[in-house]
Amino acid sequence: MYFDTHAHYNDRRFDADRQELLGSLPARGISLVVNPGSSMDTSRRAVELADAFSYICAAVGVHPHDSRTMDDKSIETLERLAAHPKVVAIGEIGLDYHYDHSPREVQRARFREQMELARRLALPVIIHEREATADMLEIVSAYPDVTGVFHCFAGSVETAKRLLAWGWYLSFTGVITYKNARVSHEVISAMPRDRIMIETDAPYLTPIPYRGQRNSSLYLPYVAQTVADLLGISLQEAAALTAENGKQCFGIE
Ligand code: NI
């Protein structure tokens, strides 16, 4: 079985065939998906989608791109959404200093508030981080009882070591199928096998040989194959290993 631990099925690029595509996943080997929100609106719709498909779980949270859209009521609303039994995490949340779509001090404040929410609800978090490593490490270290997964991890071996020591999982996308992914390959080869997760981040980050097209969970085996090659295990073993790790991370039976 494959577990796609991060795919954005509320994206409008799935509007034309969402029901059909999602309905076809189990027959095509994809047994479980986590669909994270990235705004208040997509968090709400992620819960609706999880209600409609037994093998889709939701995460609720506001992405750093959208943190400036949060207001005084947002945390209360996220808390209410997170009470749904199919919500397995708070996410995706974090810091993005590459695009700076929201002011950095707003990103940090909203990230902290959502880390506090995760602590209060005893839920794992899904973290997005880009070009903000020092601030991210400072904030996550202030919440030692909150862990979860760094999605689309593309950090250094040194950052990986620190996060692993603090109990985090690291998740990898189709980016590891690209030629310039040498550092991620080093991280995967050296890290504990029981902390490796895989995801598509659909509709983004499509693996080779479909790079440039819309991504979906159907292309997760290409990510799993790269992990299998790096660890010297079979594709089936890589699928089973990463699915088990994902279930452990999110507390899914
Ligand atoms: Ni994402």
Side-chain angles (χ1 to χ4, degrees):
M1 73 160 279
Y2 287 95
F3 179 3
D4 187 353
T5 63
H6 193 114
H8 296 282
Y9 283 117
N10 295 105
D11 190 279
R12 64 179 182 301
R13 276 186 269 176
F14 294 109
D15 282 354
D17 62 346
R18 183 176 294 108
Q19 299 296 318
E20 193 189 349
L21 173 65
L22 294 179
S24 77
L25 293 181
R28 297 161 89 173
I30 311 298
S31 313
L32 206 52
V33 175
V34 169
N35 178 43
S38 57
S39 62
M40 296 306 293
D41 180 51
T42 50
S43 292
R44 212 169 279 124
R45 289 192 287 136
V47 175
E48 287 169 14
L49 213 53
D51 248 340
F53 295 92
S54 61
Y55 44 89
I56 297 181
C57 297
V60 297
V62 178
H63 192 283
H65 288 346
D66 282 298
S67 45
R68 65 187 159 78
T69 67
M70 291 178 75
D71 60 27
D72 296 346
K73 295 261 161 55
S74 299
I75 291 293
E76 204 182 308
T77 306
L78 289 174
E79 180 162 1
R80 196 164 55 239
L81 289 170
H84 190 287
K86 297 284 295 287
V87 173
V88 296
I90 299 298
E92 64 179 277
I93 61 175
L95 301 173
D96 192 312
Y97 294 175
H98 178 75
Y99 287 107
D100 281 327
H101 287 331
S102 292
R104 293 181 181 183
E105 68 275 17
V106 175
Q107 292 189 39
R108 287 190 290 268
R110 297 310 192 187
F111 181 28
R112 283 201 181 91
E113 286 175 18
Q114 294 181 92
M115 288 292 283
E116 275 160 30
L117 176 65
R119 179 165 64 190
R120 192 159 73 241
L121 301 179
L123 281 173
V125 295
I126 299 169
I127 300 232
H128 169 102
E129 185 265 319
R130 194 159 176 199
E131 293 174 24
T133 308
D135 283 1
M136 174 275 298
L137 287 170
E138 187 191 319
I139 292 174
V140 299
S141 66
Y143 300 88
D145 43 354
V146 178
T147 57
V149 59
F150 272 75
H151 117 84
C152 191
F153 184 78
S156 66
V157 172
E158 188 188 73
T159 302
K161 275 186 187 152
R162 293 182 69 174
L163 293 172
L164 290 162
W166 293 342
W168 290 82
Y169 290 79
L170 306 180
S171 181
F172 300 89
T173 63
V175 169
I176 65 170
T177 68
Y178 306 164
K179 281 211 168 58
N180 59 3
R182 193 183 48 80
V183 175
S184 294
H185 292 175
E186 265 179 57
V187 170
I188 292 168
S189 302
M191 68 183 283
R193 291 188 176 193
D194 63 356
R195 300 288 189 80
I196 304 172
M197 284 164 56
I198 57 170
E199 60 175 290
T200 58
D201 200 23
Y204 313 105
L205 307 180
T206 312
I208 287 171
Y210 296 105
R211 193 174 181 179
Q213 297 179 29
R214 183 189 74 175
N215 200 4
S216 83
S217 302
L218 299 175
Y219 297 152
L220 190 62
Y222 295 95
V223 184
Q225 183 65 60
T226 304
V227 170
D229 293 344
L230 289 165
L231 300 186
I233 60 178
S234 71
L235 178 60
Q236 286 74 15
E237 286 168 330
L241 172 74
T242 53
E244 180 57 30
N245 294 345
K247 288 186 192 171
Q248 289 292 333
C249 174
F250 294 122
I252 298 170
E253 296 289 302

